[in-house]
Amino acid sequence: MSNTTLKRQLDSNERNSLSEFNDLEAHLLFHRGISNTEDARAFLNPEYALQCHPAELLKGIDVGVTRVLDAISKNEMICIYSDYDADGIPGAVILSDFFEKIGHTNFFVYIPHRNREGFGLNTAALDSIKDKDTKLIITIDCASSNVSEVAYANGLKMDVIITDHHEVPDILPDAFALINPKQIDCAYPEKMLCGSGVIYKFVEQLLKIGKFDVHTGWEKWLLDMVGIATISDMVPLSGENRIFAYYGLEVLRKTRRPGLLKIFSSQKINQKLISEDDISFMVTPKINAASRMGEPVLAFNLLKAKTEEDADVFSRELMHINDRRKVEVAQIVKEIKKHIKDKGHDLPAIAYGNPNWQPSLMGLAASKIAEEYLKPVFLWGRGDGTELKGSCRTWGDISVYGLLQKLGDEFFIQYGGHGAAGGFVIKTEKVAMLEDALASHLREQEVALRTHDCDSHILVEDIVLDTVRSIEKLAPYGMGNPKPLFVIEGKVHSWKNFGSIKNHFEIALQKETGEIIRAIAFFKTDESFRKMDAGDTVKIIGHIERNFFAGRHTLQIKIVDVV
C-alpha cells in the first residue's frame, strides 16, 4: 500500500513569473525552488565560467599548492591516497592525469582495501608508503577525521595534504594543509562538493599558480571523472555540482578514454546519449564492485588504461569480479529469505548475518530484501575483518537512522547514516538480540505507509515527445533535483513478465489512437502489484523517459509503484 501526494498547481502570479516556459516546465522548475525567469535560464542553460567559483576561496588551498609545487620542483616522491569508491577512484585519476600531463612521474597511487583497512588513512599503509621514500601524501575523499594517523605520518617525516568533503570533527588533523569546503571558516560557497570535485579545484589552482606548459582549459577534459563522481556520490545536483554533472556528461559523450569506452560498449550504453541514469546504474556499480570484492585498484587501472588492449584486460577482470559480486549477493539474499521463511513473514524488521559474509556486500543485499519485503533490514558480516560490520536499509517512512539511535550504545560500537540507509559495527554479544529489539521498538509505533511525492497527474494520452523533451531540459537529475515523478492514468492493453527468468514486469497502456506505451519495472513481477485485466483503468506512479534500446527510439514509463 502507498500514500500519494501531488504538488500543488501554481497560482497566477507564480505562473506569470515563469511565463517564458510551458506549463509542465514552469511547474517542475517552481517545485525545484526556481521561481523566476532569470534563475530558470541559469538552471536550464548552465554556463561553466559564470557559475563555478574561484578555487582560491578554498581554505588551505594556497598552502597545499605551494607544497605540491615545491615537491614537483625537487622531484619528490608523492603518494596519491584515495578512497576506494566511485568518488575517490575518479579523483585519483584526476590527480594522476595532472602529474602525467606536467611530466612529474615520481608518484604512485595507494587505494586501501575496503574490508581489511577500511576508510581513511591507517598506520600499516603509512609504513608501506614511507618505504617508498615518500615525502608527500595527498588524500582524496578521506582523512578529515584521521587525527592520530596524520600525526603518525608527521612522525615518519611525511607531509600530508588532505583534500576531502566529509564532515570535519572538532579536533582537526595536524596536516600540512586541509582543503575541505565544510570547514567552518572556509569561504568557498559550494559546501557540498564531492571528493573528486575538491581535488579538481585543487588541480585548477595548481595549473593557475604553477604556470605549466599546459594548454589553457585542458583540465576541463577531467570533468568526465568529476561528473562520474558527482553523480555517483549522490551530492545535491544544484549549484556548482549541477555544473560538474552537466558538463561532466558532455565530456563523457566525447571522451576517448579506452577504459570508459570499454564499459560503454559492454553495457550497451550509447555514448552520444549517455545520461545520469547510465552512470548510476551501469558505470558506478562496476567501479564500486572492485572495492566490494577487494580489488579497488582494478577500477583505477581500467579508468586509466592507455590502450584498447589494456582496457580489454582490465574490463574482463572487472566484469569477472562484478559477476562474482552478483553471485555472492544472490547467495546472501537466498539465505536471508530462508531465514524469513523460517521465522515468519510477519516480522516487523529483518536482522540477520553471517560471519563469513563480506560487510561490503551487506548494503546491496539489504536493499534487495527491503524492497521485496517492504520492511527495514539490518544485515551484518565479518569477512576478512575483525569486527561485525553491517548495513541497514529501509522501506517507506521508517528511518533506519532513528532505529540505530534508539538502540544506540547498548547494541552498537559505532553507527551512522540517514533515514534511508546506515551502517554500523555491532557488539558480538548483541547480535542474537538485534531482530527482537527492532521488532519490539517498531511494534510500539505506528508504521507509516510509503509516500510518493508526485509532481503531477497526467493521462497516458499526454505522453508525447514534447513532454519528454520538457522533462529532459531539467536534467541531469539526482539529489536536490529529483527526477519528475508522475501519477499516470491509462487503460491496460496487456501485461506480462519478461526477461530470461521472467523477473521483470511490463504493463502495456493503450492510447485512444491505438498507440501503445510500455510501462516497465525491472526485478519485479506481477506478484509485486495488484492483478489487472485488459481494459482496466490503472494508475501508475512512475518516470517518463525515452528508450534507445537496440537503436530504436520509443517513449516509456519506468514504474515505481502501481496504485
Side-chain angles (χ1 to χ4, degrees):
M1 295 293 293
S2 300
N3 285 333
T4 302
T5 62
L6 289 176
K7 293 182 171 67
R8 67 173 180 82
Q9 296 298 308
L10 278 57
D11 64 34
S12 57
N13 290 332
E14 292 163 346
R15 183 65 185 92
N16 288 337
S17 69
L18 293 166
S19 59
E20 185 175 306
F21 308 97
N22 67 39
D23 287 343
L24 178 57
E25 292 164 2
H27 184 83
L28 295 176
L29 287 165
F30 182 85
H31 286 291
R32 281 152 184 77
I34 302 162
S35 57
N36 61 72
T37 297
E38 182 180 356
D39 290 346
R41 287 174 179 168
F43 184 83
L44 296 174
N45 303 287
E47 294 190 46
Y48 186 92
L50 295 179
Q51 294 172 262
C52 287
H53 308 297
E56 57 260 29
L57 293 178
L58 281 162
K59 181 183 178 182
I61 196 168
D62 287 337
V63 174
V65 164
T66 300
R67 179 65 184 91
V68 173
L69 295 178
D70 182 58
I72 292 169
S73 69
K74 295 176 180 177
N75 198 32
E76 292 179 343
M77 177 63 77
I78 300 173
C79 172
I80 299 172
Y81 191 108
S82 85
D83 190 23
Y84 43 66
D85 68 2
D87 183 8
I89 290 175
V93 174
I94 290 168
L95 189 55
S96 62
D97 278 2
F98 163 75
F99 284 139
E100 290 174 358
K101 186 69 176 178
I102 65 170
H104 181 78
T105 59
N106 210 19
F107 76 92
F108 66 98
V109 174
Y110 188 99
I111 305 174
H113 189 285
R114 181 173 189 154
N115 295 320
R116 288 197 299 267
E117 298 179 83
F119 176 71
L121 296 170
N122 66 85
T123 56
L126 292 171
D127 286 335
S128 68
I129 290 168
K130 178 61 178 177
D131 288 342
K132 296 187 177 183
D133 196 30
T134 304
K135 303 298 183 186
L136 176 64
I137 300 171
I138 304 172
T139 77
I140 299 172
D141 192 29
C142 64
S144 286
S145 298
N146 288 142
V147 175
S148 61
E149 291 82 3
V150 171
Y152 187 81
N154 292 339
L156 295 176
K157 306 301 181 185
M158 294 188 294
D159 292 331
V160 180
I161 294 172
I162 296 172
T163 74
D164 195 10
H165 73 121
H166 293 94
E167 296 297 331
V168 293
D170 294 333
I171 299 174
L172 299 176
D174 184 22
F176 195 94
L178 173 58
I179 302 154
N180 184 332
K182 289 193 174 76
Q183 293 179 84
I184 293 173
D185 50 353
C186 180
Y188 199 78
E190 179 56 76
K191 302 298 184 184
M192 299 303 291
L193 293 176
C194 68
S196 284
V198 176
I199 198 64
Y200 177 79
K201 303 304 292 190
F202 190 67
V203 168
E204 271 191 344
Q205 193 69 355
L206 281 166
L207 288 166
K208 177 181 177 181
I209 303 300
K211 302 188 185 305
F212 300 101
D213 185 20
V214 175
H215 186 272
T216 301
W218 165 81
E219 71 277 5
K220 292 184 177 63
W221 285 106
L222 303 175
L223 288 170
D224 55 356
M225 294 293 108
V226 185
I228 287 173
T230 299
I231 293 168
S232 299
D233 213 49
M234 295 190 291
V235 292
L237 293 190
S238 56
E240 195 166 15
N241 285 332
R242 177 170 170 81
I243 297 294
F244 286 156
Y246 183 93
Y247 282 96
L249 287 168
E250 287 293 309
V251 175
L252 282 163
R253 291 168 188 139
K254 302 173 184 176
T255 190
R256 301 313 304 160
R257 294 185 190 270
L260 282 177
L261 297 180
K262 185 61 66 174
I263 294 176
F264 297 161
S265 63
S266 68
Q267 300 301 302
K268 296 181 173 55
I269 296 171
N270 186 328
Q271 184 183 5
K272 293 181 180 179
L273 300 171
I274 193 167
S275 69
E276 64 273 25
D277 282 350
D278 293 321
I279 300 301
S280 297
F281 298 113
M282 301 291 192
V283 178
T284 302
K286 305 301 178 293
I287 297 173
N288 284 334
S291 67
R292 292 184 191 280
M293 302 304 292
E295 302 288 346
V297 73
L298 183 55
F300 173 81
N301 289 339
L302 178 59
L303 294 177
K304 284 288 292 182
K306 296 291 194 293
T307 66
E308 288 188 23
E309 291 76 18
D310 285 347
D312 189 55
V313 170
F314 294 135
S315 176
R316 278 189 275 111
E317 288 184 31
L318 188 58
M319 294 306 169
H320 175 67
I321 282 176
N322 194 45
D323 288 342
R324 275 178 46 215
R325 188 265 303 169
K326 290 179 181 177
V327 169
E328 290 193 22
V329 171
Q331 290 173 340
I332 290 168
V333 168
K334 182 179 180 180
E335 189 171 335
I336 297 164
K337 287 184 175 181
K338 182 179 184 305
H339 164 75
I340 295 169
K341 183 178 180 180
D342 292 343
K343 293 275 290 199
H345 287 260
D346 60 341
L347 291 167
I350 297 162
Y352 193 62
N354 185 320
N356 295 321
W357 291 348
Q358 290 291 355
S360 58
L361 300 179
M362 295 301 94
L364 297 172
S367 293
K368 292 179 180 294
I369 296 295
E371 184 68 22
E372 181 169 349
Y373 289 91
L374 310 180
K375 58 188 66 178
V377 177
F378 286 62
L379 303 180
W380 54 265
R382 182 185 290 122
D384 299 326
T386 58
E387 298 178 307
L388 295 178
K389 295 182 179 180
S391 291
C392 44
R393 299 293 186 267
T394 193
W395 172 84
D397 293 334
I398 302 171
S399 168
V400 289
Y401 187 65
L403 292 171
L404 289 167
Q405 287 180 307
K406 179 69 177 178
L407 301 184
D409 294 339
E410 180 185 352
F411 275 78
F412 304 112
I413 298 169
Q414 184 181 351
Y415 65 86
H418 49 82
F424 57 86
V425 179
I426 189 168
K427 296 177 180 179
T428 305
E429 66 273 17
K430 289 292 185 178
V431 163
M433 295 177 257
L434 179 59
E435 194 165 68
D436 288 340
L438 290 168
S440 177
H441 175 64
L442 287 168
R443 287 187 179 113
E444 292 174 0
Q445 64 181 24
E446 183 177 348
V447 177
L449 294 174
R450 181 200 297 247
T451 299
H452 298 296
D453 187 17
C454 299
D455 284 277
S456 184
H457 174 280
I458 67 172
L459 301 176
V460 69
E461 313 293 333
D462 300 322
I463 300 178
V464 295
L465 186 56
D466 283 347
T467 304
V468 179
R469 284 174 174 159
S470 290
I471 293 169
E472 290 173 344
K473 285 182 181 180
L474 278 74
Y477 291 106
M479 290 284 291
N481 180 32
K483 182 179 288 189
L485 187 63
F486 299 95
V487 178
I488 303 155
E489 187 172 343
K491 286 193 174 182
V492 175
H493 174 268
S494 60
W495 61 268
K496 65 179 181 180
N497 296 319
F498 69 98
S500 59
I501 58 173
K502 306 297 183 185
N503 60 334
H504 310 312
F505 183 56
E506 173 188 314
I507 305 172
L509 301 180
Q510 187 170 27
K511 294 183 178 182
E512 292 180 1
T513 60
E515 180 186 356
I516 297 294
I517 298 290
R518 295 171 65 244
I520 59 172
F522 293 110
F523 305 105
K524 295 279 191 181
T525 65
D526 60 292
E527 296 176 357
S528 305
F529 306 116
R530 69 173 178 82
K531 298 292 184 181
M532 60 197 76
D533 296 316
D536 284 355
T537 297
V538 66
K539 289 182 179 179
I540 295 172
I541 297 170
H543 307 291
I544 303 170
E545 59 188 18
R546 299 198 220 197
N547 180 6
F548 295 98
F549 182 73
R552 296 172 56 208
H553 173 206
T554 58
L555 305 182
Q556 70 177 23
I557 300 163
K558 185 71 69 67
I559 298 174
V560 173
D561 206 347
V562 178
V563 295

